[in-house]
Amino acid sequence: MALIQREALDREDPQRRVPIAEAFWWAEEDHGLLGEVGSYNTPKDRHGEYRGGTIGASPAYSFTAHIADLSVDVETGVTTVHKVWVAHDCGQALSRRIVEGQMEGSVYMGFAEAIMEEHVVDPEHNGEHTGPSLLDYRMPTFLDTPDIEALIVEAPDAQGPYGAKEAGEGPLHPIIPAIANGIYDAVGVRIDRLPFSPPRVLAAIQAREAEVAAGHVQPHKTNARRAG
Amino acid sequence: MLRLPRLDVLMPATLDEAVLALQSPGSRLIAGGTDLLPNLKHRLESPTMLVSLAGVRELSTITVDDDAQELVIGAGATLTTVEQCPQVRAHAPSLCSAAGLVASPLIRNQATLGGNVNLDTRCRYVNQTDFWRSAIGGCIKSEGTVCHVVPGGKNCVAAMSSDCVPVLISLGASLQLVGPNGRRRVAMKDYYVADGTRHTTREDGEVTTAVIVPLVSTPRRAGYSKWTVRGSIDFPLTSVALCFDLERDEVAAPIAGATVVVGVLGAKPRVVTRLDEVVGKSLSDPETAAIVAERVHRQCKPLANVPYEAPYRRQMLRVHTRRAIEALVADG
Ligand SMILES: Cc1cc2nc3c(=O)[nH]c(=O)nc-3n(C[C@H](O)[C@H](O)[C@H](O)COP(=O)(O)OP(=O)(O)OC[C@H]3O[C@@H](n4cnc5c(N)ncnc54)[C@H](O)[C@@H]3O)c2cc1C
Ligand code: SF4
């Protein structure tokens, strides 16, 4: 039997054919669920002694690079990320669509952490979380999320399953420093606490302006402001 | 999951029936429900019966009354309808902007203008689950006796958070109310009071039937500025409505009158005073924007009632006011 163009056909007599879904129904009626179970486990001897080293890391490191195009509004401290390019070496991509989805999701989550999300508890009110709902704990909407371009880099690793490395956490990490560097490039301030919220960025810009006024540092290049 | 308490729902077909139903104890008016239902799920109130305005057709019309020179918007009109209505766009464009900036498209399809002008005040310590509130013992507006925003305060300063209200006040709008004792009209600038637990002068049995905006035949430029962290969903964190009457129909013309109204401060929107200094100045004169922004900054002091840094919000009032005027000038 062969499965061709959504049909199952008899190899000996190709005129005998049925839609593929029907062929699967028949087969499952006769044999139960058509499925195979398999698993992959990370090698036992790879973990280090450091904290978190025993999680069962993949045998090879993945590699990721991010580029963020952004602008900073010097009057409000609002950082607008316009576009992110993410290139991720996942080893062999077992499903390109899933790997791309992982990369885009990672950019979104890391971007959200960089710009908005923050767990704050209030010691003056019995340690209550100040953003206990999806209204007060702000996560970016479609309107806030930059365009994302995912570029898969395939460099298979002999020890990974079918040559795969990973496409989980790796594609997230560089977005936060990429945005931090972008802010530095735009307005000359280094923010080393998350998130890079408007009040925090504005305070840093104003502190720098005061330093400039006092003659302690040079003015930053002045092409930083884009319409915001 | 947060559930609604058990309650009855009545669906009257006429305004008279609705007003009558509202006279029974424990009843509560509901329009789109986008404010009331979350508050009920948070157990901030416990009515036993909701009187729905959804079936009262007479409340959702929008008309221009040429004799009275008024735009009459039925309280049941949805914010989507208000935003897209050509008559509103022609006579009150800043109201279209404000209506179109509320919450999200889905909520605007459900939310009504009547509900928006009667939106309950909001505060980070009250608009939470009853479980969350129980850890701080509630507050004056809920189960408690203290205020967490103004420690030692006896008055609730929860924020008037409607986007349309500052705009409507800036346009000199009034409300039509119908209650058991008949109908009355109240200027919106007098409708709100500085008490977060009860911030309007609406009587319990009264229904807002219409929002009335006077038409003007003289040149005018009006705008609305809202800032939130996100591009959608969020309630305003700064909210400024501006209305300038001009001597000629161009932005370089001298200003004949200026009204600026700021929301999300306390329970009452603030009408900014001492704007006479810009009367006679050109709207496009950068000094005009600077003076108005300065007045707003000086007179408006955001509180720690909504979830964002108050000092930053105050700084931003100045920036956003100036930019709103610059935008009016750029639009010509
Ligand atoms: C996630 C979220 C985000 C939101 N963001 C915003 C925002 O950005 N800006 C904003 O302004 N609002 C916002 N809202 C609040 C709300 O959606 C709007 O204010 C809406 O216009 C309320 O209208 P409604 O018809 O749904 O009111 P309802 O919930 O039905 O009613 C609100 C209140 O008004 C009373 N009421 C309703 N109609 C009348 C009437 N005709 N006469 C007298 N009293 C009446 C009700 O009894 C109730 O107390 C948001 C809500 C949610 C859930
Ligand atoms: S302002 Fe004070 S009293 Fe009012 S809701 Fe907030 S914490 Fe409660």
Side-chain angles (χ1 to χ4, degrees):
Chain A
M1 193 183 67
L3 304 176
I4 295 169
Q5 291 184 338
R6 305 196 154 270
E7 286 190 311
L9 47 94
D10 187 339
R11 274 178 198 267
E12 318 270 275
D13 178 8
Q15 293 315 313
R16 290 184 65 213
R17 51 177 70 198
V18 292
I20 219 166
E22 209 171 315
F24 276 100
W25 282 334
W26 289 347
E28 293 202 334
E29 262 171 22
D30 291 350
H31 305 287
L33 182 70
L34 296 179
E36 200 54 69
V37 177
S39 68
Y40 167 77
N41 225 332
T42 53
K44 290 268 176 281
D45 57 348
R46 293 303 154 85
H47 59 78
E49 296 304 316
Y50 52 87
R51 183 165 173 270
T54 56
I55 52 163
S58 63
Y61 286 108
S62 66
F63 298 91
T64 312
H66 285 208
I67 297 174
D69 172 24
L70 58 82
S71 52
V72 179
D73 186 322
V74 294
E75 279 189 313
T76 62
V78 170
T79 302
T80 307
V81 182
H82 308 289
K83 180 157 182 174
V84 174
W85 290 263
V86 45
H88 178 68
D89 167 8
C90 61
Q92 175 77 44
L94 302 184
S95 157
R96 293 185 69 86
R97 182 170 292 193
I98 292 177
V99 172
E100 267 173 21
Q102 285 290 102
M103 292 162 70
E104 289 172 5
S106 292
V107 170
Y108 168 79
M109 288 170 141
F111 156 79
E113 215 176 321
I115 297 293
M116 257 178 227
E117 291 186 40
E118 188 174 23
H119 287 282
V120 181
V121 290
D122 179 358
E124 286 173 32
H125 292 96
N126 295 338
E128 285 224 274
H129 198 293
T130 62
S133 69
L134 290 175
L135 192 58
D136 292 353
Y137 184 88
R138 299 183 182 93
M139 298 199 287
T141 69
F142 269 109
L143 295 180
D144 310 301
T145 307
D147 285 344
I148 301 168
E149 196 162 319
L151 308 153
I152 297 176
V153 178
E154 285 181 294
D157 187 273
Q159 298 199 43
Y162 303 105
K165 290 172 181 165
E166 68 94 23
E169 237 178 280
L172 186 150
H173 296 143
I175 186 62
I176 295 171
I179 293 174
N181 285 344
I183 294 173
Y184 179 71
D185 183 51
V187 291
V189 299
R190 281 257 166 243
I191 316 284
D192 56 8
R193 269 186 68 193
L194 288 168
F196 312 138
S197 64
R200 199 168 275 159
V201 173
L202 185 64
I205 292 171
Q206 289 176 342
R208 191 177 197 286
E209 279 167 1
E211 292 279 285
V212 171
H216 297 156
V217 293
Q218 289 294 313
H220 192 68
K221 57 180 180 175
T222 46
N223 64 351
R225 198 171 147 205
R226 223 149 95 168
Chain B
M1 184 173 136
L2 299 174
R3 289 184 185 283
L4 281 175
R6 245 176 210 294
L7 28 76
D8 294 326
V9 180
L10 209 69
M11 295 278 290
T14 67
L15 182 60
D16 291 344
E17 284 168 41
V19 171
L20 192 68
L22 270 186
Q23 309 314 312
S24 52
S27 65
R28 189 78 169 75
L29 200 58
I30 182 167
T34 60
D35 174 42
L36 187 64
L37 295 182
N39 289 350
L40 295 184
K41 289 184 175 187
H42 285 163
R43 299 296 187 267
L44 285 167
E45 296 180 49
S46 46
T48 49
M49 182 174 71
L50 298 184
V51 179
S52 169
L53 290 180
V56 185
R57 291 261 166 90
E58 58 198 285
L59 291 182
S60 44
T61 54
I62 301 180
T63 51
V64 171
D65 181 340
D66 284 319
D67 296 335
Q69 282 295 295
E70 287 170 344
L71 170 68
V72 183
I73 308 174
T78 66
L79 296 178
T80 302
T81 305
V82 171
E83 179 198 0
Q84 294 172 356
C85 173
Q87 286 160 314
V88 181
R89 194 157 290 275
H91 298 290
S94 57
L95 179 59
C96 292
S97 316
L101 287 170
V102 170
S104 67
L106 290 178
I107 293 176
R108 294 196 292 273
N109 288 343
Q110 176 79 12
T112 66
L113 186 61
N116 194 253
V117 298
N118 287 293
L119 171 70
D120 202 352
T121 54
R122 298 187 60 86
C123 175
R124 64 202 304 172
Y125 299 105
V126 86
N127 294 107
Q128 308 293 0
T129 61
D130 55 347
F131 175 69
W132 189 97
R133 290 196 309 272
S134 70
I136 55 168
C139 69
I140 298 170
K141 192 170 163 65
S142 58
E143 308 79 13
T145 52
V146 298
C147 175
H148 303 287
V149 173
V150 183
K154 294 273 169 287
N155 185 24
C156 169
V157 292
M160 196 298 300
S161 301
S162 156
D163 282 303
C164 297
V165 165
V167 168
L168 287 165
I169 295 175
S170 78
L171 299 176
S174 26
L175 297 180
Q176 183 75 55
L177 301 171
V178 172
N181 305 321
R183 58 179 59 223
R184 67 179 175 120
R185 208 189 227 213
V186 51
M188 282 186 70
K189 70 174 172 31
D190 303 323
Y191 186 60
Y192 302 94
V193 291
D195 175 357
T197 62
R198 189 168 185 134
H199 75 303
T200 72
T201 52
R202 188 178 77 92
E203 304 285 337
D204 276 338
E206 276 183 324
V207 177
T208 305
T209 56
V211 176
I212 300 155
V213 185
L215 302 186
V216 286
S217 49
T218 50
R220 169 178 272 188
R221 297 292 183 276
Y224 177 61
S225 157
K226 165 180 184 170
W227 183 72
T228 58
V229 173
R230 296 185 288 187
S232 188
I233 306 256
D234 289 342
F235 280 92
L237 292 170
T238 67
S239 163
V240 185
L242 308 108
C243 180
F244 297 96
D245 287 312
L246 303 179
E247 286 181 15
R248 291 187 312 277
D249 196 14
E250 53 173 333
V251 288
I255 294 170
T259 315
V260 176
V261 185
V262 180
V264 213
L265 301 168
K268 189 181 160 150
R270 177 173 286 269
V271 180
V272 175
T273 59
R274 301 196 45 241
L275 289 174
D276 3 324
E277 207 179 312
V278 298
V279 172
K281 274 198 187 338
S282 155
L283 180 62
S284 57
D285 181 348
E287 214 190 320
T288 300
I291 293 171
V292 176
E294 183 55 36
R295 291 278 180 279
V296 167
H297 180 255
R298 189 163 301 177
Q299 295 174 29
C300 301
K301 302 191 177 72
L303 300 163
N305 47 9
V306 295
Y308 214 73
E309 284 96 319
Y312 176 79
R313 291 171 52 224
R314 180 150 189 230
Q315 265 183 295
M316 287 309 105
L317 278 174
R318 188 206 303 259
V319 176
H320 292 309
T321 302
R322 196 200 73 228
R323 287 185 178 181
I325 298 174
E326 287 168 357
L328 287 178
V329 172
D331 284 350

